[in-house]
Amino acid sequence: MNIDCIMEYLSRNLHTAVWGLTPEGCPEKRICLRADLEDRMNETLLSELLSFAAFEYPVLASDDASAAYAVVSAGEQILILGPVLLTFGNACRRRISCGGYDADALLFLHPCGSADLLRDALLLHNLFHKNNLTMEEAADVNYLDDQIKYTVQEHFVKIVFENQEQGSRHNPYDQEVREVAAIRNGDLEALKQS
């Protein structure tokens, strides 16, 4: 599997860095397609994030300022996505003491919904594990607030609906107007012709 390609995709999608580490926690590579994103990974932060790599599911963790990371055990590597700025506030169940970003530096982080970060972390998890997790299962172990779970479900229902709508054929607009006019006027013959 071309892990570099996946890391580049995730970096582009989340506008952040993606770290590849050995199982022992030694950084092997960092891919970040944003030249303006400063590397603030330090020993303390790395140690805190690596403590989540033992979980059997992708883990989201954020600091008090909503700088968030995702940690995924991916075969022979541990992948860390982030930082991003959570738009839904401090919704993660797992906390880190220091995300490495002060208030000024937070302005440079990409605002990201927790559902988007979890979706991309879940993609990585499911690529490297036999037991595929659903978004709902991953949300249950990562979010504190039931409202966030509801928002995630609502977001995905909207995506499914839009995909279904785009995949089906619709009548032309002028035909819809003729049908509505025929119904309003009670003209059954015009409705049949339209």
Side-chain angles (χ1 to χ4, degrees):
M1 182 175 308
N2 188 350
I3 191 72
D4 288 351
C5 181
I6 295 169
M7 290 173 73
E8 282 183 24
Y9 165 79
L10 294 172
S11 177
R12 185 176 299 109
N13 193 40
L14 294 172
H15 305 279
T16 193
V18 180
W19 291 83
L21 301 106
T22 66
E24 295 78 32
C26 298
E28 287 186 319
K29 66 179 75 171
R30 175 184 185 263
I31 294 179
C32 184
L33 300 180
R34 282 188 54 193
D36 66 330
L37 187 62
E38 197 176 317
D39 178 9
R40 296 200 179 193
M41 185 71 73
N42 58 44
E43 292 272 335
T44 307
L45 177 58
L46 185 59
S47 175
E48 283 188 77
L49 292 172
L50 286 173
S51 70
F52 302 123
F55 289 94
E56 292 295 320
Y57 46 84
V59 174
L60 302 186
S62 67
D63 67 6
D64 291 334
S66 296
Y69 295 83
V71 181
V72 180
S73 176
E76 294 297 315
Q77 279 191 316
I78 298 166
L79 296 172
I80 297 176
L81 313 174
V84 295
L85 182 64
L86 286 184
T87 55
F88 291 123
N90 299 321
C92 297
R93 187 178 303 259
R94 310 293 178 313
R95 310 294 294 158
I96 50 177
S97 61
C98 174
Y101 288 85
D102 56 20
D104 291 334
L106 285 173
L107 298 174
F108 292 99
L109 297 182
H110 176 67
C112 178
S114 52
D116 296 326
L117 181 59
L118 186 58
R119 180 199 61 225
D120 286 349
L122 190 60
L123 169 70
L124 274 177
H125 171 84
N126 287 342
L127 283 173
F128 288 95
H129 292 84
K130 289 182 182 177
N131 62 327
N132 286 344
L133 291 177
T134 65
M135 189 67 177
E136 187 174 280
E137 292 168 329
D140 282 343
V141 295
N142 275 293
Y143 299 147
L144 279 175
D145 190 357
D146 285 336
Q147 181 60 36
I148 297 297
K149 294 179 201 172
Y150 174 76
T151 304
V152 168
Q153 289 172 341
E154 183 180 50
H155 176 70
F156 281 98
V157 166
K158 187 184 292 184
I159 289 171
V160 168
F161 176 76
E162 287 174 5
N163 287 344
Q164 287 174 342
E165 283 296 304
Q166 291 173 358
S168 61
R169 296 182 58 96
H170 291 279
N171 293 332
Y173 178 75
D174 59 332
Q175 181 181 351
E176 295 282 345
V177 170
R178 286 193 307 270
E179 289 175 0
V180 169
I183 291 170
R184 278 196 184 131
N185 297 331
D187 189 353
L188 190 59
E189 220 26 66
L191 181 62
K192 288 179 184 177
Q193 289 177 353
S194 67

